[in-house]
Amino acid sequence: MGKGQMIRSLKFDSGIIHSSMNPRNPRYVTATTVKSEPYFAELAKKPVIRRLAFKRKKSSDKGKRKSATEKNVLATFDRAGKRIFVASSRGCITIRDLKTLEVIKLLRNCGTSVIRSVRFSRCSKHFLVISNDRCIRVFDSRTFEKTQQFQDVVNRIQWNSCVFSGNSEFVCAATSRTEQNLYIFDRPGGQVVAMIRAPADQIQDVVWHPMAPIIVTLTKHGFVYIFSKTMRQQFSCFAPGFVVLDENVEYVDGTDEAEEAKEAAKRKAEAEGGQDEDVDILTMDPLPVLSDDEDQTDLAEEDLLKHELTHIPIMPIPDQALDIDISDIENSYKIQEAGRQQGAPTRPSPMADL
């Protein structure tokens, strides 16, 4: 990534609408195409590509007709990179093992519509599912039980994208209407905490900052909007014993009391002996909140924070200067306009070869 060179390329039968990379091992990727079901690829010396087809079970004639039209439409990895979540066109999620690709769990409580997206929280304890039935369902990653469901019963809003907050306590969802809005839900309670009005441009993706209250959105036309909380600076400073008076009162000098409080605090600090301890100001402790490996105690040594990519050294490449005289361009435009009015052939523009 630092050199900007292509390492491997894969060719599929049609256009790719979604892809994901294993967060623990970059050799494993998934790709969802337009015409076929998702693919799982292992980027070795000889790439191995396998199609994640929907496995149909033997059932009655009615069940056969229903499952005949069901197919997988999305595939993504979980936070630990050990399982693959494959979503179908009828609200079914198949959880497969990374090594064997065998089915571990089958979830049928995601509705009956096409699943559009599957997102995981940073703590790996929750994941949400966005379906075409205008519902956002939150599940527990350990028990696979549905814990919460978000929807607009009155307006029947379709959700375009959704993401967890840094602490996994809130869920931010973007609508797919012309007037774009961001709804922030309380995950444990299920209520709408806030609604943010965004510019009139369809939102394609939403990202929440892991620490700060900052939300970044990507729109259909390529614009990036940053939403943050307005921090009001307060420069007023009051004394510790400041009290707002509703009426006039008689002033009593409390100098002796203030001095006694200072002496008591000083004696308490000396008794605790906190001033005699050495403070380490050289050692820098890592911040686990900046890593996706927090709350993951069963990971290998290479997945710890000290080996994480936190900075990409990218040098800006300036554009090459073009020796173009503006007066020549203006004269060329004037000659072309005169030629169009008289019907004569026009001289090619000096910008044609650029």
Side-chain angles (χ1 to χ4, degrees):
M1 182 171 280
K3 298 180 181 179
Q5 298 179 356
M6 183 181 64
I7 301 176
R8 186 80 63 181
S9 65
L10 300 176
K11 187 176 181 180
F12 296 92
D13 54 354
S14 59
I16 298 176
I17 58 177
H18 182 270
S19 64
S20 65
M21 180 178 288
N22 192 303
R24 310 301 174 194
N25 193 340
R27 292 189 308 162
Y28 302 112
V29 296
T30 61
T32 305
T33 60
V34 178
K35 297 182 180 180
S36 61
E37 295 184 283
Y39 290 93
F40 170 80
E42 182 179 357
L43 304 180
K45 293 183 179 180
K46 293 183 179 180
V48 179
I49 302 176
R50 299 178 61 181
R51 190 161 64 96
L52 301 175
F54 182 79
K55 292 187 176 182
R56 300 171 177 84
K57 297 182 179 180
K58 296 182 179 181
S59 58
S60 59
D61 295 339
K62 184 178 180 180
K64 289 182 179 180
R65 290 194 301 268
K66 182 178 179 180
S67 62
T69 59
E70 186 172 4
K71 64 177 183 178
N72 292 329
V73 296
L74 180 68
T76 183
F77 296 96
D78 62 349
R79 283 286 185 179
K82 298 179 180 179
R83 297 174 297 185
I84 305 175
F85 283 65
V86 186
S88 72
S89 59
R90 290 189 177 273
C92 177
I93 294 182
T94 306
I95 304 175
R96 296 171 179 257
D97 183 68
L98 176 64
K99 300 298 182 180
T100 62
L101 296 182
E102 295 293 332
V103 178
I104 303 175
K105 186 74 175 179
L106 187 66
L107 301 181
R108 283 285 186 182
N109 53 351
C110 303
T112 57
S113 301
V114 179
I115 296 177
R116 306 179 62 182
S117 178
V118 180
R119 294 293 186 93
F120 299 90
S121 62
R122 287 179 56 84
C123 62
S124 301
K125 296 179 181 179
H126 313 279
F127 69 92
L128 58 84
V129 178
I130 305 177
S131 304
N132 271 354
D133 57 357
R134 296 175 173 82
C135 291
I136 302 174
R137 297 173 176 86
V138 182
F139 295 86
D140 192 321
S141 299
R142 300 173 182 176
T143 61
F144 299 104
E145 295 181 357
K146 185 173 67 175
T147 59
Q148 196 58 258
Q149 179 172 322
F150 308 119
Q151 63 177 337
D152 192 341
V153 183
V154 179
N155 300 322
R156 300 292 297 171
I157 297 176
Q158 181 65 268
W159 309 105
N160 209 26
S161 182
C162 201
V163 68
F164 282 99
S165 62
N167 57 0
S168 305
E169 293 296 325
F170 300 95
V171 175
C172 179
T175 62
S176 59
R177 290 186 173 184
T178 305
E179 58 278 4
Q180 293 296 315
N181 297 324
L182 294 175
Y183 289 81
I184 299 179
F185 298 93
D186 182 21
R187 182 190 57 79
Q191 295 85 11
V192 178
V193 179
M195 186 186 72
I196 305 174
R197 296 191 179 276
D201 195 357
Q202 186 175 1
I203 298 176
Q204 298 293 331
D205 197 7
V206 182
V207 179
W208 197 311
H209 194 276
M211 293 184 300
I214 299 175
I215 299 175
V216 181
T217 62
L218 175 64
T219 62
K220 182 179 180 180
H221 294 89
F223 293 98
V224 177
Y225 294 95
I226 302 175
F227 302 88
S228 62
K229 185 178 180 180
T230 303
M231 301 296 179
R232 296 183 179 180
Q233 298 181 357
Q234 180 63 262
F235 296 99
S236 301
C237 183
F238 303 103
F242 178 81
V243 179
V244 179
L245 301 179
D246 297 332
E247 57 183 8
N248 295 331
V249 296
E250 185 179 356
Y251 173 72
V252 178
D253 189 7
T255 306
D256 298 337
E257 297 178 0
E259 292 179 357
E260 291 178 0
K262 290 182 180 179
E263 290 294 335
K266 185 177 180 180
R267 289 193 298 269
K268 184 178 179 181
E270 291 178 355
E272 294 178 355
Q275 297 181 355
D276 298 335
E277 297 180 359
D278 296 333
V279 179
D280 187 5
I281 60 174
L282 300 178
T283 305
M284 298 180 61
D285 297 332
L287 296 176
V289 72
L290 296 176
S291 173
D292 290 341
D293 300 335
E294 57 178 346
D295 298 334
Q296 295 285 341
T297 57
D298 56 344
L299 298 177
E301 182 67 22
E302 62 269 18
D303 293 329
L304 296 179
L305 178 63
K306 61 182 181 180
H307 295 287
E308 184 184 0
L309 178 64
T310 56
H311 177 258
I312 303 175
I314 298 178
M315 295 294 294
I317 302 175
D319 297 334
Q320 295 181 358
L322 301 177
D323 297 333
I324 301 175
D325 192 358
I326 302 298
S327 59
D328 293 342
I329 300 176
E330 295 178 352
N331 296 332
S332 175
Y333 289 155
K334 292 179 181 179
I335 294 174
Q336 290 181 7
E337 291 294 334
R340 292 192 186 97
Q341 295 178 1
Q342 299 177 3
T346 59
R347 190 181 68 178
S349 171
M351 296 289 291
D353 297 334
L354 300 179

